[in-house]
Amino acid sequence: MVDCLKYRDTNHFSELVYNYVEQSPDFKAFISNFPSIEAFKVQLESKSKNFNQKNRQVLNKVLQNDYSSIDASQQTLTNIENLKLENTFTVTTGHQLNLFTGPLYFFYKIISTINLCQELSEAYPEQNFVPLYWMASEDHDFDEINFFNFKRKKVSWKSEQNGPVGEFSTSSIDEFLNQLSELFGNHKNAEDLLNLFQQAYVGHDNLADAHFYLVNTLFTKYGLVVLKPNHPQLKHCFKSYIKNELLDQTAHQHVLLQSENLKEKGYNIQVNPREINLFYIEKGIRERIVKHDGHYHVLETQLKFSETEILQLVDEHPERFSPNVIMRPLYQEVILPNLCYIGGGGELAYWLQLKSFFDSQQITFPLLLLRNSVLLYSDKTAKKLKQLNLSIQDLFLSQADLTEKIVKKESEIEIDFSEQIQYLKQQFSSLYRTALLTDASFEGAVAAQEQKQINGLKHLEKRLLKAQKRKLSDHLKRAVSLQDMLFPNGGLQERYLNFSEVYVDTGKDFIQVLKDQLKPLSGKFTAIELDIYHIEN
C-alpha cells in the first residue's frame, strides 16, 4: 500500500523545498533547469561538450583499483567499464560516513539515484547512465557521524582520533559488538545485521574502507558505483581549480553575490563562503587554509607556505588539498561526467548558491533533484489507523490539529459554529442599517454587541470541544501514540531511524520494496505500508 502526498501537505519541510518542488520561477537564475526527463536531453548535450573526456580514463583506473579487492556485481563492474565511453554519464548522490549508514534517508538518496538512472536508460537508450555514490571520506566532523539510533537508543562509537574521518582506524569499534548483539536480538535477521556490521567495521582497518564495503554490499545488486574522492589521481584532475582558489578566491565573490540574491527572495542561506574554500589534509589533520601577510597558513598548525611553495605543493601532492562544502560540488562535476545531483533539502539549498561560481569556471551546472522522502509503517499500524477512522495523511497534522480533527469527526454533535457565526453576522447587518437610519452614534454599540455574541459562540465551541476531548480521551491517546511512534521527537522518521530497525523485521526485502516504489521525478512524499514490519515493538 503506497500513498503519495504533496510535500507542502507534510508540514515538515522548508519553504525553499516546497517552492523548488513546485518549480517556482524564483529559482530560474540559480539552476540550469528543473529536473524532468525532457530536461536531461539538454543536460546531456551540455555535459558532452563541456566535460574533459581525459578524466574518464583516470576515473576508470581509480575505480578499477578500488574495486579490485571487493566482491561487486557484474552490473557494477560493467558500469565502471562503461565510464570510459563518451556516451556514459553519472547521476550522483553523496553522504557522510555515518556509522552503519546513519538515518534512513541514506537509503532513499541511493535508491532515488538508482531509479533515476533506470528511467533515463529507458528514455535515452543510446546512452549509459551510472548511479554513483560519493563518499564524504574527507569530512572531519566525527561527532556528526559516530552514532545511529535503534529503537530509541543511541548507539555510539567513541574515538579520540582527528583529521579526515575516512582515515580513522576501526580498531576500537569491536568494543560494542556485544551491545549490538543485545539490541538486535536473537533471530536470523538480527544475526545477518550483526555479521554485516562485523564484516564491514571489524573486517577493515579504516572507516572509509568499512563504509565502502557496507554500501557495496547493500547496493551492488543494483549496479551502484561507490567513489572515494580523496585520491591523488582524481585530485590531479582538479589542480588548476585548486590553484585558482588559492590565487584568486573566485568562489568567495560569486557565492556571496548569489547568496545575497537568494536572501532577497526570502530564502535562508545554508552556507557562508570563505575567502579560501580549501582545507589542508594529512594524517590526523584537516584544517582550513587562510592567507595573510603574503603567506598561506594552515590553522591550528605551524604550517606556512609562500605562494611559490604552495603552488608547487599542489603540483606534487594535490591530495593534500581538500575542498570544503563550497568547492566540493565543483570538484565532483570536474571529475565526473555527471548530469544530476540528488540530495536533501539542505543540500539543494547550498547548491542553489553555486551556479554563478560554476559559470565563472566554465563547468556545466548539474540538474538538482530532491531525493525521495518516505514514511514506512506496518500492516499492524494500518489496521490501527482504520480502527481509529484515520488515514496515514492525518498523522502529518500537528498534534493540536489532529486532536481537533478527531474530535469534530467522531463527535455525535456538530462542534463547528462557523455557520452560526456567519448567520449572526447577517442578522447584525440589518441592525447596522437600522442604527444608521436612527442614530449613527449607535453603530459602535451594535459592533460591540456583535463581537460579544461572536465571542460567546466561539467560547461555547471551545467548551464543547474540551468536553468532547474528555469523552474521546482513549481514542485521542491511541491516535497521538501512533503519531509519536511514526514521528520520533515530532520529526520525520527518515531523519531518526536507522535501517537496522526495519531490517530486524523485514530482512533485506525492504530495499527491494523501496526500489519498486520510489519515483524520483514524482515530486511527491511517499508513505509505504510494509507487511510484517512492526516498528512499534
Side-chain angles (χ1 to χ4, degrees):
M1 186 69 184
V2 177
D3 290 289
C4 294
L5 293 78
K6 291 181 180 178
Y7 274 91
R8 196 175 288 276
D9 292 341
T10 67
N11 304 306
H12 279 276
F13 295 86
S14 68
E15 194 66 22
L16 182 144
V17 167
Y18 300 145
N19 288 345
Y20 188 82
V21 170
E22 293 163 5
Q23 300 193 358
S24 165
D26 278 359
F27 299 112
K28 286 192 174 178
F30 304 97
I31 60 174
S32 54
N33 210 334
F34 286 110
S36 67
I37 289 295
E38 296 73 26
F40 275 95
K41 182 177 181 181
V42 177
Q43 198 71 15
L44 279 163
E45 294 171 357
S46 177
K47 193 66 179 182
S48 295
K49 295 174 183 176
N50 186 260
F51 185 64
N52 184 344
Q53 301 296 342
K54 293 179 182 178
N55 291 352
R56 289 183 179 277
Q57 307 306 317
V58 177
L59 180 63
N60 176 263
K61 287 180 181 178
V62 168
L63 289 169
Q64 293 278 13
N65 181 68
D66 285 345
Y67 274 85
S68 62
S69 58
I70 200 164
D71 185 19
S73 70
Q74 185 55 54
Q75 188 175 350
T76 291
L77 297 177
T78 298
N79 281 340
I80 291 171
E81 192 62 25
N82 283 344
L83 282 168
K84 293 192 294 188
L85 306 175
E86 292 189 9
N87 69 334
T88 301
F89 300 87
T90 61
V91 172
T92 300
T93 193
H95 200 61
Q96 296 169 294
L97 275 57
N98 293 68
L99 186 64
F100 217 32
T101 74
L104 265 173
Y105 67 76
F106 169 87
F107 281 76
Y108 307 154
K109 275 184 167 184
I110 291 178
I111 295 297
S112 297
T113 304
I114 291 167
N115 282 357
L116 179 57
C117 284
Q118 184 174 319
E119 286 190 50
L120 290 173
S121 295
E122 293 168 1
Y124 303 101
E126 65 277 12
Q127 268 90 30
N128 304 310
F129 300 93
V130 175
L132 188 137
Y133 171 70
W134 180 285
M135 281 177 44
S137 54
E138 296 179 46
D139 283 4
H140 62 274
D141 197 337
F142 183 60
D143 289 340
E144 286 189 357
I145 68 163
N146 69 339
F147 68 94
F148 66 91
N149 298 304
F150 184 86
K151 295 192 175 179
R152 301 303 200 269
K153 292 182 180 178
K154 186 175 182 180
V155 183
S156 300
W157 170 35
K158 304 298 182 185
S159 176
E160 299 301 321
Q161 300 175 73
N162 295 304
V165 294
E167 297 178 0
F168 276 31
S169 168
T170 55
S171 59
S172 65
I173 205 167
D174 59 348
E175 293 176 0
F176 62 90
L177 281 176
N178 290 335
Q179 179 186 351
L180 290 182
S181 180
E182 291 177 10
L183 282 174
F184 292 160
N186 297 311
H187 49 82
K188 180 63 169 63
N189 290 343
E191 183 181 329
D192 290 345
L193 276 175
L194 198 61
N195 287 338
L196 178 60
F197 188 94
Q198 190 160 2
Q199 289 165 7
Y201 292 97
V202 181
H204 295 87
D205 294 332
N206 61 65
L207 189 56
D209 288 344
H211 193 75
F212 184 89
Y213 174 89
L214 178 63
V215 178
N216 178 72
T217 301
L218 291 168
F219 297 105
T220 190
K221 170 184 176 180
Y222 305 107
L224 184 72
V225 173
V226 182
L227 179 67
K228 302 176 188 175
N230 188 22
H231 194 287
Q233 288 178 270
L234 295 175
K235 291 284 180 71
H236 181 84
C237 299
F238 195 57
K239 283 196 313 184
S240 63
Y241 302 93
I242 294 173
K243 290 180 179 180
N244 174 269
E245 181 64 10
L246 291 167
L247 297 176
D248 300 328
Q249 289 97 59
T250 309
H252 181 259
Q253 60 192 44
H254 282 279
V255 176
L256 210 57
L257 179 59
Q258 189 128 336
S259 300
E260 289 302 316
N261 291 337
L262 277 168
K263 281 183 185 177
E264 288 179 6
K265 293 186 178 293
Y267 299 110
N268 294 327
I269 299 306
Q270 190 72 14
V271 295
N272 292 303
R274 305 282 189 182
E275 289 189 1
I276 296 177
N277 293 280
L278 296 167
F279 289 94
Y280 181 87
I281 57 172
E282 279 192 278
K283 185 68 176 177
I285 297 174
R286 188 179 189 243
E287 298 291 347
R288 283 178 50 211
I289 299 171
V290 297
K291 184 179 182 182
H292 60 83
D293 300 330
H295 283 78
Y296 295 87
H297 301 257
V298 180
L299 293 180
E300 309 300 330
T301 75
Q302 299 299 313
L303 293 172
K304 181 176 77 170
F305 306 97
S306 67
E307 182 177 295
T308 301
E309 288 170 336
I310 202 164
L311 292 178
Q312 183 178 348
L313 190 62
V314 174
D315 285 326
E316 295 174 357
H317 294 286
E319 72 278 8
R320 294 187 188 175
F321 296 84
S322 174
N324 73 355
V325 66
I326 296 293
M327 286 290 287
R328 190 210 64 78
L330 184 72
Y331 177 39
Q332 171 189 299
E333 297 303 311
V334 166
I335 66 173
L336 297 178
N338 194 50
L339 301 174
C340 176
Y341 184 77
I342 296 180
E347 290 173 287
L348 290 194
Y350 75 71
W351 273 90
L352 290 170
Q353 297 175 241
L354 301 178
K355 186 173 186 299
S356 173
F357 172 48
F358 268 70
D359 291 345
S360 74
Q361 303 301 299
Q362 299 181 322
I363 295 296
T364 298
F365 195 67
L367 295 175
L368 304 177
L369 179 63
L370 183 69
R371 65 168 173 82
N372 284 115
S373 279
V374 180
L375 175 70
L376 301 175
Y377 63 103
S378 70
D379 49 351
K380 185 176 178 181
T381 297
K383 290 175 184 175
K384 289 179 179 179
L385 284 169
K386 189 173 182 180
Q387 291 167 358
L388 292 169
N389 194 22
L390 292 172
S391 69
I392 194 67
Q393 291 94 329
D394 291 329
L395 296 187
F396 285 87
L397 295 169
S398 70
Q399 211 150 89
D401 289 344
L402 176 64
T403 298
E404 186 173 335
K405 179 171 184 175
I406 292 171
V407 170
K408 288 185 175 180
K409 184 190 289 187
E410 299 300 322
S411 294
E412 297 173 357
I413 57 173
E414 184 69 28
I415 312 180
D416 182 356
F417 289 178
S418 54
E419 186 176 333
Q420 285 84 350
I421 289 172
Q422 188 60 38
Y423 179 76
L424 186 68
K425 287 181 177 180
Q426 291 172 359
Q427 297 303 306
F428 267 90
S429 65
S430 63
L431 286 176
Y432 279 115
R433 288 193 295 272
T434 302
L436 288 172
L437 290 171
T438 307
D439 188 335
S441 64
F442 280 103
E443 184 179 7
V446 173
Q449 187 63 32
E450 178 186 27
Q451 192 60 51
K452 182 179 179 180
Q453 296 294 326
I454 290 173
N455 290 342
L457 283 172
K458 288 181 176 179
H459 180 66
L460 182 59
E461 183 181 52
K462 286 180 180 178
R463 288 188 63 184
L464 285 170
L465 277 170
K466 190 174 181 180
Q468 282 300 102
K469 284 179 184 179
R470 287 195 298 270
K471 187 176 179 181
L472 297 167
S473 60
D474 180 64
H475 192 118
L476 293 171
K477 282 178 184 176
R478 286 188 290 149
V480 168
S481 177
L482 278 183
Q483 188 180 54
D484 288 342
M485 178 189 67
L486 292 179
F487 294 83
N489 303 320
L492 287 174
Q493 176 196 78
E494 64 181 32
R495 297 175 186 167
Y496 183 85
L497 262 64
N498 180 260
F499 85 99
S500 57
E501 194 162 336
V502 186
Y503 197 104
V504 161
D505 289 318
T506 66
K508 61 185 177 182
D509 290 346
F510 94 97
I511 300 177
Q512 186 60 47
V513 170
L514 295 176
K515 174 72 174 59
D516 292 341
Q517 300 299 336
L518 298 191
K519 312 297 181 190
L521 292 172
S522 70
K524 297 288 181 67
F525 186 104
T526 310
I528 302 176
E529 177 189 333
L530 294 177
D531 292 339
I532 69 165
Y533 169 57
H534 300 305
I535 193 172
E536 54 266 46
N537 291 338

